[in-house]
Amino acid sequence: MTTQTLLIGISGVSSSGKTTLSRLLRDIFPNTFVLHEDDYYWSDNQIPFKNGVQDWDCIESIDVVGLQKSLAYIKQHGSTPTDLVSKEDQNSVGETKVDEQVVRRWKERMQKRMQKENMDDLKIAIVDGFLLFSQNMEEVWKQMDVRLFLRTNYATAKRRREARSGYVTLEGFWEDPPGYVDDIVWPNYVKEHAFLFKDGDVDGEIAHEACKALALDVMPRECEEDITACLEWACEIVRRAVEDAVNHGNA
């Protein structure tokens, strides 16, 4: 088969488990790497302010054009741009309470499957970011072959975000000031994602037609506090995408 690159987008509110899931999938599926939207933040002095506080959770804080160009490069070459140096891998995602037996089972299964089909030319790029599926990010999400949306309720997102020590930035280190989730993170999430939920209630039911229009696979509610269940859900979707790519390549 000729070289193919699958782009897998994983998005959701800050602290929804995007990076944890991305790294687990990277370890399970051969020829897989991760691109972090957070590596496309503008420099620290270019981050906009909201009510006297820097707003790291708005679309204006991201070099969207740079991200678009990187995705196009990845789609063509099957690798990240040569000049990209990730700072995101310096940030901790905390303890991962995943069932290691499930990880091993999926890893063995996919390694055998891809070796059997001689799929060395199939590359998988996982893109994780908090704003990938915003209506204002169409030029980004339309490049994705698979789109996984991790819904997370307010209480869980707040608890996880406030448990973090901070984030490495281009020029230093950021720590959330008191009230940051309520004043910045959650309102921005609601603003950019309300259209995906019935009546705009992001803690409520999914608006199926809106999600269908974006071809989103939405994480089931029972996976919200269960990383193993979330991983199994995501692995099955990515497995099907890999199978489709193989079948298309052999057609």
Side-chain angles (χ1 to χ4, degrees):
M1 61 186 291
T2 57
T3 300
Q4 291 179 274
T5 305
L6 279 177
L7 283 179
I8 313 293
I10 300 179
S11 195
V13 67
S14 174
S15 302
S16 57
K18 303 179 296 296
T19 303
T20 298
L21 178 61
S22 297
R23 291 174 179 172
L24 287 169
L25 292 172
R26 177 195 60 194
D27 293 343
I28 287 171
F29 288 84
N31 303 327
T32 298
F33 59 92
V34 178
L35 183 78
H36 304 283
E37 183 185 53
D38 285 5
D39 282 321
Y40 292 84
Y41 275 120
W42 293 111
S43 60
D44 294 24
N45 63 1
Q46 292 177 288
I47 301 301
F49 281 77
K50 179 179 180 180
N51 299 326
V53 178
Q54 279 191 303
D55 183 352
W56 293 84
D57 285 74
C58 65
I59 193 170
E60 293 81 10
S61 67
I62 298 291
D63 178 7
V64 177
V65 173
L67 177 58
Q68 292 172 16
K69 291 180 178 177
S70 289
L71 294 177
Y73 181 95
I74 290 170
K75 197 69 173 176
Q76 181 178 358
H77 299 281
S79 62
T80 55
T82 56
D83 60 347
L84 177 65
V85 178
S86 177
K87 63 170 178 55
E88 178 57 26
D89 284 336
Q90 300 176 55
N91 287 317
S92 171
V93 295
E95 182 182 357
T96 302
K97 297 179 180 179
V98 68
D99 188 331
E100 293 296 339
Q101 290 186 341
V102 171
V103 175
R104 285 194 296 270
R105 174 169 54 81
W106 268 104
K107 188 173 184 177
E108 291 172 1
R109 178 182 180 184
M110 294 314 304
Q111 284 180 338
K112 289 178 181 178
R113 180 71 178 95
M114 295 180 80
Q115 286 173 358
K116 179 181 178 181
E117 295 293 336
N118 191 25
M119 296 163 61
D120 290 341
D121 290 326
L122 178 64
K123 311 299 181 184
I124 302 174
I126 298 174
V127 187
D128 99 78
F130 67 99
L131 267 178
L132 298 182
F133 306 143
S134 163
Q135 288 177 304
N136 296 312
M137 295 283 277
E138 182 176 0
E139 294 304 313
V140 168
W141 57 254
K142 74 179 184 181
Q143 298 190 57
M144 310 293 180
D145 299 297
V146 176
R147 301 159 193 166
L148 305 180
F149 183 61
L150 310 187
R151 63 169 154 189
T152 305
N153 62 60
Y154 163 78
T156 298
K158 180 179 174 69
R159 183 187 76 247
R160 291 176 178 172
R161 175 85 182 216
E162 292 182 345
R164 292 186 173 182
S165 59
Y167 303 84
V168 175
T169 68
L170 278 177
E171 297 162 351
F173 191 78
W174 168 263
E175 293 182 77
D176 290 347
Y180 198 74
V181 172
D182 291 314
D183 296 338
I184 301 292
V185 176
W186 195 255
N188 280 339
Y189 171 64
V190 172
K191 174 185 174 183
E192 298 291 348
H193 298 89
F195 76 104
L196 297 174
F197 295 83
K198 290 182 179 179
D199 302 320
D201 178 8
V202 298
D203 266 345
E205 296 300 316
I206 288 293
H208 293 287
E209 288 303 313
C211 292
K212 183 179 179 180
L214 268 69
L216 292 187
D217 283 294
V218 181
M219 184 182 72
R221 279 196 178 278
E222 57 266 26
C223 297
E224 284 190 29
E225 294 282 0
D226 188 340
I227 185 58
T228 301
C230 177
L231 177 63
E232 295 232 58
W233 164 77
C235 279
E236 182 57 30
I237 293 171
V238 176
R239 181 197 66 78
R240 292 199 302 265
V242 169
E243 297 284 350
D244 288 345
V246 173
N247 294 333
H248 179 74
N250 292 334

